[in-house]
């Protein structure tokens, strides 16, 4: 098909329309600049009060509002969501860059016990960059423990889970009475109890929901389990918020219960799937050639697990006897699912019918989360399709 050159009148019409687009783009840029100025006011406000940059609920509400607005005016909500996520990401990163340099209690002395390890090195870097005096106590430094503890403001224990309680017992007698005793262990019940039992001063439990390779603290979650906290002991939490992180407070028991699902069950199920593929010597590359993006996403998660440190995962999965009981229950539920699929033991109902009925009950229970899940996984799948 040959294209026709527009005549003079049509050219004028086109120029008018293009002019209108230029005008609107100009206004969009002006509006973004005005938005950015207000963001700067928010930064100043938060900086003064040492508040978190990222508020997941506020961002989710904003996105929902923009999506609904888009629908009303005939714009694709996914298109709007992508634009606004980009705008929010930018303003968040400028806010974080501005706020994260600030030390909430610069000059305070922090001892990182196990500071030569992966998480220890991460926190050494961040505290040092914010003006804290960081000391490290490693396996071979115990003869200097008294010197390392003198004048301390916080001792942060970052040794392997199995070593944490004995390290608390060994360290506690050397700590100044107002020093905060804290830990980064992934299991909170036994460690917070050991700190409270062995040290009469302030106690805090931390669990970073991120690994040592994170390049940023922005939007990273830090769970804080209360121990023995005075108002003047809030600075570590405030520091994390100032770095752009999100602080979630939870009792140790609730934390451990949730972590059993989020970490132990999740990782164990992934391990089990990977092990099954291995035992059957499945040709992974060949399966990928046939694969739906969903399978690819799942296999990525399995491959990711086996690319990491087995010690870390064994520590998490086998951390407490309760976790083993949970995994046994999971196995039982697996077996019952299989029974449901065979026609036996279903009280006359065929296996497929009971599967469908159970599926519907579960779908109802998942409720509105299903919409969110479709949206989020759809986003990931599309990204995967774009790239691979
Ligand atoms: P790691 O093995 O890399 O580091 C542990 C460090 O502790 C090592 O440098 C080791 O030499 C030192 N250490 C061991 N026994 C010691 C002792 N008695 N005295 C002094 N130092 C001793 O482990 P990591 O991954 O950094 O994990 C540390 C803590 O952080 C663990 O409690 C873990 O549950 C928690 N955590 C880890 C991650 C993660 O992704 N790695 C995430 C969240 C929480």
């Amino acid at each position: 098909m040959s294209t026709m050159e527009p005549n003079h009148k049509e050219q004028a019409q086109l120029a008018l329309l293009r002019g209108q687009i230029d005008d609107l783009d100009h206004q969009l840029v002006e509006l973004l600049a005005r938005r950015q100025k207000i963001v700067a006011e928010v930064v100043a406000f938060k900086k003064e009060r040492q508040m978190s940059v990222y508020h997941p609920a506020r961002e989710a509400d904003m996105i929902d509002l923009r999506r609904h607005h888009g629908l009303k005016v005939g714009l694709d909500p996914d298109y709007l969501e992508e634009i606004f996520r980009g705008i929010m990401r930018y303003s968040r990163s400028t806010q974080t860059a501005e706020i994260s340099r600030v030390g909430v209690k610069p000059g305070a002395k922090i001892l990182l016990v196990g500071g030569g390890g992966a998480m220890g090195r991460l926190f050494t870097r961040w505290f040092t960059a914010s003006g804290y005096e960081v000391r490290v106590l490693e396996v071979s430094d115990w003869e200097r423990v008294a010197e390392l503890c003198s004048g301390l403001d916080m001792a942060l224990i970052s040794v392997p889970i199995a070593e944490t309680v004995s390290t608390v017992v060994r360290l506690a007698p050397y700590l100044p009475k107002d020093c905060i005793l804290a830990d980064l262990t992934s299991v909170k019940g036994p460690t917070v109890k050991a700190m409270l039992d062995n040290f009469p001063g302030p106690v805090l439990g931390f669990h970073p929901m991120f690994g040592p390779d994170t390049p940023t603290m922005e939007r990273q979650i830090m769970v804080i389990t209360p121990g023995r906290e005075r108002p003047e002991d809030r600075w570590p939490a405030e520091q994390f918020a100032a770095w752009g992180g999100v602080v979630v407070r939870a009792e140790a028991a609730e934390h451990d219960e949730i972590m059993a699902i989020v970490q132990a069950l999740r990782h164990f199920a992934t391990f089990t799937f990977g092990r099954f593929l291995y035992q059957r010597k499945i040709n992974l590359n060949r399966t990928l050639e046939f694969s739906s993006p969903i399978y690819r996403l799942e296999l990525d998660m399995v491959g990711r697990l086996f690319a990491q440190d087995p010690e870390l995962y064994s520590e998490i999965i086998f951390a407490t006897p309760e976790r083993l009981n949970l995994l046994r229950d999971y196995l039982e539920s697996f077996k019952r699912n299989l029974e449901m699929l065979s026609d036996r033991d279903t009280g006359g109902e065929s296996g497929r019918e009971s599967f469908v009925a159970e599926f519907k009950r579960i779908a109802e229970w998942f409720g509105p989360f299903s919409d969110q899940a479709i949206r989020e996984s759809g986003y990931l799948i599309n990204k995967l399709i774009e790239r691979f």
Side-chain angles (χ1 to χ4, degrees), residues 117-156:
M119 294 303 275
R121 289 197 304 274
L122 174 78
F123 281 95
T124 298
R125 275 202 313 279
W126 278 80
F127 280 120
T128 307
S130 295
Y132 291 85
E133 181 188 318
V134 179
R135 305 169 185 174
V136 168
L137 192 160
E138 261 295 330
V139 184
S140 56
D141 299 320
W142 280 96
E143 58 197 33
R144 294 196 297 128
V145 60
E147 174 199 336
L148 288 168
C149 287
S150 89
L152 267 196
D153 293 289
M154 175 164 74
L156 189 53

Side-chain angles (χ1 to χ4, degrees), residues 113-121 137-139 142 157-161 163-164 167 170 184-187 207-212 309 312 315:
V113 185
M119 294 303 275
R121 289 197 304 274
L137 192 160
E138 261 295 330
V139 184
W142 280 96
I157 298 180
S158 183
V159 300
I161 299 180
E163 308 289 326
T164 306
T167 303
R170 204 169 165 192
L184 292 177
T185 323
S186 309
V187 181
H207 181 198
M209 294 286 104
F210 47 90
D309 181 7
L312 180 68
E315 274 202 324

